[in-house]
Amino acid sequence: MSLKNVELTLKIKGKAVETKFGEMIFTHFGVSGPIVLDMSRTLVESIRPALEKAVQSHNPFQKALHVPEGAELSLNLKPALSLEQLTARLQRDFYTGGKKFYASILKDLLPASLIPVMIDLSGIPRDKAGNQISKKERDYLVQLLTNLPMTVSGLRSFTEAIVTSGGVSLKEVDPRTMESKLVKGLYFAGEVLDLDAKTGGYNLQAAFSTGYLAGVNAASKT
Ligand SMILES: Cc1cc2nc3c(=O)[nH]c(=O)nc-3n(C[C@H](O)[C@H](O)[C@H](O)COP(=O)(O)OP(=O)(O)OC[C@H]3O[C@@H](n4cnc5c(N)ncnc54)[C@H](O)[C@@H]3O)c2cc1C
């Protein structure tokens, strides 16, 4: 299921370290999509010492990497509304919904596949009439809609990585030619360099640009 215009916050040991707004996807294995991919880099940096230990006993080509420290995501499904606005909207929906079932009122608020999840988490029976939903239940639903917590249990395996961070240090490469400053006649391009960017075409652009420079300059030397 793909979600647009949502806000995702990464928390490490309860402390918010990054918030991103945009698109994300619920997949069969967990979460993915642009804001999740971008955020995974921050997660890796935030828990690097613990990860480095875990990596030593990890086969990157076989399994997903367990995240050894408390990392959590918090999803705001309604970032365009303040808490007061969302509360007022629910009050209105439940009131005007009258005897309509809770599950049916949620249809105006959430994508279909999220409705059973939200019913489960909120603990409000699916067939409860809108006008019977208490303030306590409504407040809890507001909390879930704006702060849906997810525990990060692991990272996907290296074989599924979109881009690798790390590689040949840029300090050791001449940016005009992509030639190594240490070994004459050796040229680098693309992922092998310690160069990565967020999703959106920047990594391909980096590979094309450095590839062009390395190719032209290597050819002109021979
Ligand atoms: C699923 C996925 C989606 C992506 N989506 C995007 C995106 O939307 N936008 C974006 O900007 N970037 C995206 N990327 C990242 C982008 O594709 C890479 O950053 C870019 O392709 C790197 O180019 P490269 O030439 O350095 O490396 P690669 O494209 O990995 O090319 C390396 C080549 O070397 C070959 N090779 C490896 N070892 C040897 C060997 N020993 N001998 C001979 N050949 C060898 C490999 O087979 C491969 O063909 C995505 C990556 C993945 C995996």
Side-chain angles (χ1 to χ4, degrees):
M1 180 185 54
S2 164
L3 294 172
K4 284 195 171 125
N5 303 327
V6 292
E7 193 176 78
L8 194 65
T9 299
L10 171 66
K11 294 178 187 170
I12 308 285
K13 292 180 178 169
K15 191 173 162 235
V17 292
E18 187 169 47
T19 296
K20 285 198 171 282
F21 174 84
E23 282 179 47
M24 66 169 277
I25 307 172
F26 280 107
T27 70
H28 61 286
F29 59 77
V31 290
S32 188
I35 54 176
V36 174
L37 291 173
D38 285 346
M39 204 167 256
S40 70
R41 191 185 202 296
T42 309
L43 172 64
V44 169
E45 289 305 325
S46 306
I47 59 170
R48 187 173 279 280
L51 268 182
E52 276 169 3
K53 270 194 205 145
V55 163
Q56 283 162 15
S57 57
H58 167 72
N59 177 349
F61 292 99
Q62 276 178 3
K63 53 188 179 192
L65 183 60
H66 174 65
V67 170
E69 276 186 46
E72 239 187 56
L73 292 172
S74 160
L75 175 62
N76 184 351
L77 291 155
K78 300 285 166 197
L81 301 177
S82 66
L83 288 183
E84 293 72 27
Q85 286 170 324
L86 183 57
T87 304
R89 155 108 197 248
L90 288 181
Q91 243 168 338
R92 201 176 57 237
D93 287 0
F94 290 161
Y95 178 74
T96 51
K99 288 185 181 162
K100 242 171 132 182
F101 286 169
Y102 170 54
S104 163
I105 298 172
L106 285 183
K107 281 184 194 159
D108 291 335
L109 211 65
L110 292 169
S113 41
L114 254 189
I115 293 176
V117 179
M118 208 47 84
I119 289 172
D120 255 20
L121 292 174
S122 68
I124 306 172
R126 56 177 301 110
D127 55 357
K128 192 163 188 175
N131 57 12
Q132 295 301 306
I133 293 170
S134 68
K135 177 178 182 309
K136 196 173 164 203
E137 288 172 322
R138 195 182 59 227
D139 287 348
Y140 188 51
L141 180 62
V142 168
Q143 198 184 317
L144 285 174
L145 289 169
T146 54
N147 181 14
L148 185 66
M150 289 172 278
T151 305
V152 182
S153 59
L155 298 164
R156 299 301 286 174
S157 117
F158 175 73
T159 51
E160 290 173 57
I162 300 291
V163 65
T164 52
S165 83
V168 175
S169 169
L170 298 183
K171 290 186 189 139
E172 296 172 2
V173 179
D174 181 344
R176 290 164 303 178
T177 61
M178 303 317 296
E179 185 177 20
S180 167
K181 289 180 184 169
L182 306 182
V183 181
K184 289 295 149 208
L186 179 63
Y187 295 80
F188 297 109
E191 288 254 10
V192 79
L193 293 160
D194 184 8
L195 179 68
D196 62 278
K198 48 186 206 165
T199 56
Y202 304 102
N203 293 300
L204 282 171
Q205 182 62 59
F208 298 152
S209 302
T210 53
Y212 174 82
L213 274 180
V216 165
N217 286 291
S220 70
K221 275 260 170 114
T222 54

